[in-house]
Amino acid sequence: MSQEGYDHATVEERWQEAWEDADVYHVPDDADDPTYVLGMYPYPSGKLHMGHVRNYTITDAYARYRRMRGDDVLHPMGWDAFGLPAENAAKERDTNPRDWTFDCIDTMRGQMKSMGFGYDWDREVTTCTPEYYRWNQWLFRRFHEAGLVERRDAEVNWCPSCETVLADEQVEGDAELCWRCDTPVETRELDQWFLKITEYADELLEAIDELEGWPDSVRQMQRNWIGRQYGSEVDFEVEGHGPVTAFTTRIDTIHGATFFAVAPDHPIAEELAAEDDDVRRFIEEEADPDGDEPNGVETGLTATNPVTGEEIPVYVADFVLSDVGTGALMAVPGHDERDHAFATKKGVEIRPVIAPEPDDWDGETVPDAPDVTEEAFTEDGVVIDSGEYTGLDSETARERITEDTEGASEATQYRLRDWGISRQRYWGTPIPIVNCDDCGAVPVPDEDLPVELPEFINTTGNPLDAADEWQATTCPECGGPATRETDTMDTFVDSSWYFLRYVSPDLTDAPFDRERANDWMPVDQYVGGIEHAVMHLLYSRFFTKVLADEEGLDHREPFTNLLAQGMVQLEGEKMSKSKGNVVSPQRIVDEYGADTARLFMMEAAQPERDFDWSEEGVRSTHRFLTRLSDLVEAYAAGEVATAGDDADRDEIDDYVADETDAAVAIAGAEYDDLTFNVALREAQELVRTLRSYREAAEPHPAVFERGLDVAVRLLAPVAPHLAEELWETLGRDGFVAEAEWPTASVDRDTVERRRRLVANTREDVRDIVDVAGIEDPERIDVVIAPDWKYDALQIAIDSDADNLISELMAESHIRERGDDAASYGQDLQANREALRETLDGDAEYDALRAAAWLIEREFDAPVRVERAADADEGVVSKAEPGRPAIDIVE
Ligand code: ANZ
Ligand code: ZN
C-alpha cells in the first residue's frame, strides 16, 4: 500500500506522539508576543475533506512559522456543532443528534491529529455543549438589556422540506432556494426573535474602509450587503387617504413622475383592497414580486406631486417591495428601468426630465431631451423641463428640491435587515425566554442558565414543540405557570463569538476573560472559505462591536487579516460528493503521508487561488521529500565526502552559502505574506543546489550542513513530521517546531539582483556559444565593467537633470574617457530607469566568481571572472554594469 520512498507512516506517528507527550502546542494564557491565528471551525459532518485540509494547513503553516519567529501563537480548534444535519442524521440512524455529533467530532479530531495540525487541544470549543451554549443565552440577555433584541411578527422565509425558517442570507438565487436542500422557499408569518444589527449598519459599513488586511472582494460584498443609499423621502397626497411617503434616490427627476405605486402589502393597498375587488384580486392572486415582469393594478385614485401639483394615477404594483424604503415610490419611467417597463406595459406617459451632460457643457445652456421611448436614461445629467430647476445638474437639483419641498427630507436607506435568529428546530441553543400569560415574554434570569435541551424526540416538525414537560415552567417574574420558548437560535450566533471563547475556554462565570481577550484579540490572521464572506463575517463584526460597547472589549473589529482560501478542484471542477469527484484525504495520508499532502497543497498554488488536484503532483512532492531525507541521512552517516575548514572556502562554497542566505531572505518574506508556494520553491531550490554541490565538489562541511539545516527549517511549517525527523538526524536538540527561524545576512533585493545578474550572464554565454557555433570552448572570460562606468551609473541614478551628459562630463575621471564616456552617457540617458536595479562593481565581481562553477559545469570549460583592470582593453570596453563582457576562447 505504501509508496516507495521514506517511511512516512512511522515518521509521522512517532512525531505526533512526541509532540503530544511534550505538549508542544500548548499556549500559555498570558503571552508576551501574542499572535492569534485562526481557521474557521468546521461543522462536524464526520469526515475531513480536502477543503478542510487546505484551510487548516494554511493556518497551521502560518502558526508554525510565527512560532519559530518567537511569537506566542494561539492556534485553537473547535466545532460548529449545532445544526440541522445532525438532526436529520439522527432521524435516519435512529440515534440522537448529540451522540451522532460527538462521534463525528471524535473522528475528525483524529483525522486532524493525523494531519499533524498543531492545535492547543486544551482549548477545544464545542458549541453544542451546555458549557458553551449557556453563553449564547447569556449574551442574548445582554443584547436584550441593551435594547438589541426584539420580538416581531414577521414574514419569514420558510423551507417546507427542512421545516424551518431561513435567514435572507440562506435563501439563494433568483429562484429563492433553500441553501441546504435547494427546495423553493415559501413565505410565512411567525413571531420571531431578531437581533438589531441595523443599529450598527453605519459603523459596519464605514469600518470596512479600515479593513486593509481583507480581500477587496469580501469588503465589497459586505458593502453591497449593507447597501446604504442616500436619498429623500417625499410625501404625495393620495386622494382620500392622506399623505403617503415615498423613498427616492432621484428626487431630481420628480417632474418626470408620471405615476405613483405602492407595494401589495402597503397599508394603503390593504385599505383599497377592502373597497375594490380588482385590487383585492390582484393582491391575492396575481402579485408576484419574483416574476420576470412587473405587474400592477390601477386603483382609480390619484396622488399629488408636491412640487408640481400634478395629479398622477396610483397603482398597486408587485415590483414595489414592502421592505425597501417605505414600500411606496414615485415612478419615473423616463429614468428608471423598472418604471419604464411598467409604464410601457400599462401605457403610462414616459417623460424625459434629465438630459445627458454634454462634454463641453458651459453649465448654462439647456441640452436637448434624450429619447427615452425605448429605454430609460438612468444616469445623472442636466435637469430639463423642470421649472425653476431646469439647467441644474442632478446633484444640485436633488439638494435644492429636497430643501424647497414641503414634506420632503433627506433619508438614508439600507438593504441590511435585522437578523432573525429564531429557528424552529431542536439542535440549537434554546432561546432563554419564558412566555407567561400575564407578563408576556420574560427572559430567563442569568442564575437559571443554561436552559438545557431536553432529550431528543424523533418527530416531524420541531421536537421542542413535543417536549411538553420541558416546556412547562414557572414565570420568573410572577411565579405563575408559563411555557418555554421553543425556538432555538440560528447557529450563526454560536460562530459570532467562538473566537473569544478560545482565550478562556473553561471560564465558568463569563463567556470570555476580558483581559485575556484584550491581549489576544483581534485575530491576526483568519482563514476560511469565501462562502462566509457575508453572513459569518458580518455577524462576527456585529457581535464584536456590541461586546466592545457592552462588555469592555477593547477592539471593535475581530479579524485584522483575512484570507479566503481557493477551492481544491479535480479537472477544473469543485470537489463535491454530488459530483463524485472527491479525493479522500485519508487515502492520501495513508499512501503518501500527511507531509506530502500538506506540501503538495501549499506548493501547488497561492492559498487564495483555486487549483487542480494532481496525483502526479502528489507523487513528485513525495519524491522530493524522499530525496531530502536521503541527502540528510547520507550526510549524517558521513557518506558525503566533505573537505576544507573555516579558513578554507572556495567560490563554490561561497555560492552555496550565499544561496542558503538567499533562500532564507526570500522564504521568510513569503511566509510573512502567506505566499507559501513561493517560499517553498526557495526551499526546494536550495535542496537542488545542495545536491549539485555534492556532485560538483567536495562540499565544505559547515556550508553543507548549514544548507541542510536551513532547508529543514524552511520546510518545517509545512512538512512538520519529516522536518522533526531530519532535525534529529542532523543532531539538533529539541523540536524543530520550537526551533528558531533562520536568519539571513543578505536582503531580498540584493539576492534578486545577484540572481538576475548570474542568470543573464549565463544566458549571454549560451547565446554567444550558439551564434558563434562554438563546439568546445577552451576558456570563458567574464569581465566586469570599469569603475568609472559604475560611477557614471550612480550619478545617473541620483540625478534628475534633463541633460545627463553635461552632468557626467563635469567629473574629470569620466570626461577623460572621451568618446566612450559620451556614448555610455547616452545609453544611460536612454535607460535610466532600467539601470536602477544593478549591484555595485565589487558585488557583481563576487557574485559572478561564486557562480562561475555553474557556468563551468554547463559548458565544461574553465571560467575566469576578471576585474576591468586585469583584463584586455578590447574586451573591457564592451562591459557595462549589470552586463559583464564575455570572451570565449576556442
Ligand atoms: C424615483 C426614481 C427615479 C428612482 C429614477 C430611481 C431612478 P436603486 O434604484 O436600487 O438605486 N424604490 C423606492 N422604494 C422602493 C420599493 N419599496 N421597492 C422597489 N423600488 C423602490 O433604489 C432606489 C430607488 O428604488 C428609488 O429611487 C425608487 O425609485 C425605487 F430616475 O425614485 B427611485
Ligand atoms: Zn408571569
Side-chain angles (χ1 to χ4, degrees):
M1 179 165 93
S2 176
Q3 297 284 313
E4 307 236 319
Y6 78 102
D7 180 4
H8 56 81
T10 308
V11 168
E12 294 183 355
E13 205 175 310
R14 171 165 185 232
W15 291 103
Q16 282 159 20
E17 267 170 34
W19 292 327
E20 197 153 327
D21 290 347
D23 216 358
V24 167
Y25 305 112
H26 177 77
V27 192
D29 281 330
D30 37 359
D32 298 331
D33 237 327
T35 297
Y36 193 169
V37 179
L38 185 65
M40 291 180 185
Y41 67 171
Y43 177 77
S45 56
K47 259 193 219 155
L48 279 193
H49 56 67
M50 280 300 175
H52 292 128
V53 174
R54 189 177 195 195
N55 191 159
Y56 305 139
T57 301
I58 294 168
T59 48
D60 194 50
Y62 189 64
R64 286 171 181 276
Y65 166 70
R66 296 295 294 250
R67 205 178 288 121
M68 290 176 79
R69 277 264 144 124
D71 296 357
D72 286 315
V73 182
L74 177 57
H75 181 226
M77 183 42 73
W79 311 99
D80 187 12
F82 269 140
L84 198 50
E87 232 168 296
N88 294 338
K91 283 182 187 173
E92 269 167 39
R93 281 155 238 227
D94 204 22
T95 167
N96 66 72
R98 185 177 289 103
D99 291 345
W100 184 80
T101 302
F102 280 104
D103 277 353
C104 290
I105 288 176
D106 285 342
T107 313
M108 288 173 81
R109 193 193 299 105
Q111 289 182 317
M112 287 184 180
K113 288 187 177 175
S114 77
M115 288 303 306
F117 298 142
Y119 297 123
D120 182 354
W121 286 107
D122 295 340
R123 293 174 184 273
E124 182 175 358
V125 157
T126 306
T127 58
C128 66
T129 59
E131 293 74 32
Y132 185 85
Y133 69 68
R134 72 176 290 187
W135 300 114
N136 285 341
Q137 296 170 338
W138 188 92
L139 288 166
F140 178 90
R141 294 221 42 196
R142 301 291 85 75
F143 276 57
H144 196 273
E145 286 161 1
L148 293 168
V149 173
E150 206 169 74
R151 180 188 226 173
R152 269 186 239 149
D153 190 35
E155 230 176 48
V156 295
N157 308 302
W158 176 263
C159 171
S161 159
C162 299
E163 294 180 46
T164 190
V165 171
L166 301 173
D168 286 348
E169 297 90 329
Q170 295 165 333
V171 179
E172 294 183 336
D174 289 341
E176 313 217 319
L177 303 179
C178 169
W179 71 321
R180 283 212 181 283
C181 72
D182 285 347
T183 304
V185 169
E186 298 169 359
T187 324
R188 280 201 185 179
E189 294 265 339
L190 280 179
D191 249 354
Q192 298 284 294
W193 290 95
F194 286 87
L195 298 186
K196 290 161 85 177
I197 189 173
T198 54
E199 305 250 316
Y200 283 77
D202 284 315
E203 192 192 339
L204 285 166
L205 179 71
E206 282 155 21
I208 294 172
D209 292 344
E210 271 122 69
L211 295 176
E212 281 163 15
W214 286 36
D216 286 340
S217 58
V218 174
R219 295 163 80 185
Q220 200 48 45
M221 280 191 260
Q222 296 229 337
R223 286 192 189 101
N224 293 344
W225 190 262
I226 296 167
R228 182 167 73 186
Q229 281 188 319
Y230 291 118
S232 311
E233 283 184 353
V234 54
D235 289 345
F236 279 63
E237 191 72 25
V238 173
E239 192 185 340
H241 291 269
V244 176
T245 308
F247 172 79
T248 174
T249 51
R250 295 296 307 272
I251 203 168
D252 53 315
T253 64
I254 195 163
H255 293 76
T258 53
F259 68 99
F260 192 82
V262 300
D265 45 4
H266 191 282
I268 291 273
E270 281 165 19
E271 280 174 43
L272 295 174
E275 303 160 9
D276 183 333
D277 279 349
D278 288 345
V279 172
R280 188 184 46 76
R281 200 172 317 114
F282 171 76
I283 295 174
E284 285 174 6
E285 290 164 27
E286 272 172 65
D288 175 12
D290 308 319
D292 287 340
E293 42 174 85
N295 295 306
V297 59
E298 197 166 359
T299 62
L301 299 177
T302 59
T304 308
N305 184 322
V307 175
T308 62
E310 187 180 358
E311 302 218 337
I312 55 178
V314 175
Y315 285 81
V316 175
D318 61 8
F319 73 96
V320 187
L321 306 173
S322 59
D323 63 351
V324 171
T326 60
L329 57 80
M330 63 173 216
V332 185
H335 301 286
D336 180 90
E337 280 165 17
R338 288 159 302 179
D339 300 349
H340 193 279
F342 190 84
T344 306
K345 184 167 169 180
K346 298 283 178 184
V348 182
E349 183 193 351
I350 300 173
R351 185 192 301 163
V353 291
I354 304 288
E357 185 180 310
D359 286 342
D360 53 355
W361 192 43
D362 59 11
E364 281 175 26
T365 320
V366 177
D368 290 338
D371 181 358
V372 291
T373 43
E374 292 299 320
E375 216 182 344
F377 170 68
T378 59
E379 277 154 57
D380 274 8
V382 182
V383 176
I384 58 171
D385 294 329
S386 298
E388 58 181 296
Y389 302 102
T390 297
L392 296 178
D393 62 87
S394 286
E395 196 175 325
T396 311
R398 283 195 283 273
E399 282 164 22
R400 292 254 197 103
I401 296 174
T402 306
E403 208 176 285
D404 297 349
T405 307
E406 178 114 15
S409 56
E410 285 178 9
T412 308
Q413 99 103 26
Y414 301 83
R415 192 173 167 269
L416 183 69
R417 296 282 165 268
D418 281 335
W419 174 15
I421 59 160
S422 291
R423 295 293 177 274
Q424 289 67 43
R425 303 304 314 189
Y426 169 81
W427 197 228
T429 304
I431 292 179
I433 289 285
V434 164
N435 295 307
C436 168
D437 282 344
D438 294 329
C439 312
V442 182
V444 177
D446 286 354
E447 58 273 20
D448 295 341
L449 299 181
V451 176
E452 284 198 47
L453 284 169
E455 284 307 310
F456 180 64
I457 305 171
N458 193 342
T459 62
T460 52
N462 181 359
L464 292 182
D465 286 334
D468 297 333
E469 241 172 81
W470 175 83
Q471 275 185 52
T473 183
T474 49
C475 169
E477 248 160 54
C478 70
T483 54
R484 291 194 186 283
E485 174 65 64
T486 57
D487 283 354
T488 54
M489 296 183 197
D490 182 359
T491 58
F492 278 111
V493 172
D494 315 0
S495 53
S496 293
W497 68 279
Y498 76 112
F499 45 89
L500 286 163
R501 187 67 184 165
Y502 286 131
V503 307
S504 46
D506 302 320
L507 204 62
T508 53
D509 56 3
F512 55 90
D513 181 300
R514 187 186 305 173
E515 226 172 286
R516 278 187 201 145
N518 285 337
D519 258 8
W520 287 107
M521 288 291 289
V523 172
D524 294 274
Q525 183 65 56
Y526 198 30
V527 181
I530 189 76
E531 65 275 20
H532 294 300
V534 178
M535 284 182 279
H536 164 56
L537 293 171
L538 195 64
Y539 295 152
S540 299
R541 296 181 60 218
F542 167 50
F543 262 59
T544 302
K545 290 176 193 308
V546 174
L547 292 173
D549 288 338
E550 308 297 331
E551 292 299 319
L553 201 62
D554 279 351
H555 306 279
R556 302 193 72 79
E557 285 291 339
F559 313 123
T560 306
N561 295 293
L562 172 72
L563 187 153
Q565 102 244 16
M567 273 182 307
V568 186
Q569 303 177 319
L570 196 69
E571 284 152 11
E573 290 208 73
K574 181 185 172 156
M575 281 189 192
S576 74
K577 256 196 223 150
S578 56
K579 291 205 191 85
N581 64 348
V582 175
V583 176
S584 142
Q586 195 58 56
R587 175 180 70 79
I588 302 299
V589 171
D590 291 344
E591 276 184 43
Y592 306 94
D595 283 340
T596 296
R598 297 168 54 123
L599 181 56
F600 166 67
M601 283 198 158
M602 293 301 99
E603 71 190 356
Q606 206 168 299
E608 294 87 348
R609 297 270 164 79
D610 297 346
F611 80 95
D612 246 27
W613 184 265
S614 141
E615 200 76 11
E616 183 40 43
V618 176
R619 270 185 233 117
S620 131
T621 299
H622 191 71
R623 283 194 296 271
F624 164 77
L625 289 177
T626 301
R627 282 197 300 270
L628 171 63
S629 165
D630 290 348
L631 192 63
V632 173
E633 266 157 27
Y635 175 76
E639 290 161 16
V640 176
T642 54
D645 54 41
D646 280 347
D648 176 25
R649 273 169 53 163
D650 62 18
E651 286 86 7
I652 304 187
D653 303 331
D654 287 343
Y655 178 84
V656 175
D658 283 354
E659 278 302 303
T660 305
D661 270 328
V664 172
I666 294 186
E670 299 292 344
Y671 268 110
D672 278 330
D673 291 346
L674 294 104
T675 35
F676 305 109
N677 54 328
V678 185
L680 293 166
R681 213 179 297 144
E682 284 300 321
Q684 298 192 335
E685 202 52 54
L686 176 59
V687 174
R688 210 166 296 140
T689 301
L690 292 170
R691 282 160 48 86
S692 329
Y693 184 31
R694 181 190 181 186
E695 285 164 24
E698 295 202 322
H700 186 280
V703 170
F704 195 77
E705 185 168 325
R706 173 150 193 273
L708 293 175
D709 172 296
V710 163
V712 167
R713 280 190 282 173
L714 298 187
L715 285 162
V718 179
H721 310 86
L722 184 61
E724 291 292 2
E725 184 79 12
L726 300 182
W727 190 245
E728 187 188 61
T729 308
L730 285 172
R732 301 293 186 267
D733 287 336
F735 292 99
V736 73
E738 294 178 320
E740 265 177 46
W741 190 253
T743 50
S745 56
V746 64
D747 63 273
R748 179 178 190 152
D749 205 38
T750 310
V751 167
E752 279 168 357
R753 290 173 188 208
R754 214 162 60 191
R755 287 184 174 173
R756 210 164 26 237
L757 174 73
V758 171
N760 290 345
T761 305
R762 291 177 74 175
E763 191 61 43
D764 282 351
V765 175
R766 252 170 246 145
D767 283 351
I768 295 171
V769 167
D770 261 13
V771 171
I774 301 171
E775 300 251 300
D776 191 11
E778 200 183 301
R779 200 186 70 221
I780 302 170
D781 287 348
V782 176
V783 180
I784 309 294
D787 290 346
W788 69 266
K789 283 193 178 170
Y790 289 97
D791 294 344
L793 172 63
Q794 197 51 52
I795 293 171
I797 289 170
D798 294 341
S799 146
D800 47 17
D802 285 339
N803 188 343
L804 184 61
I805 310 284
S806 63
E807 202 157 322
L808 292 176
M809 292 308 168
E811 297 289 324
S812 62
H813 77 288
I814 295 176
R815 190 171 58 239
E816 270 168 20
R817 303 288 157 172
D819 286 351
D820 278 355
S823 101
Y824 185 53
Q826 263 152 13
D827 279 3
L828 287 179
Q829 177 97 37
N831 296 312
R832 248 149 137 181
E833 282 311 311
L835 289 168
R836 264 175 212 281
E837 309 271 280
T838 340
L839 296 163
D840 67 30
D842 286 342
E844 289 206 339
Y845 178 72
D846 290 344
L848 288 168
R849 272 179 52 102
W853 68 288
L854 291 171
I855 309 179
E856 286 179 355
R857 287 191 83 197
E858 183 175 346
F859 299 97
D860 198 20
V863 170
R864 210 164 64 180
V865 178
E866 293 180 299
R867 294 179 188 276
D870 306 324
D872 181 84
E873 268 296 318
V875 181
V876 171
S877 68
K878 284 183 274 173
E880 286 181 7
R883 184 134 210 191
I886 289 156
D887 189 29
I888 302 183
V889 183
E890 263 186 280

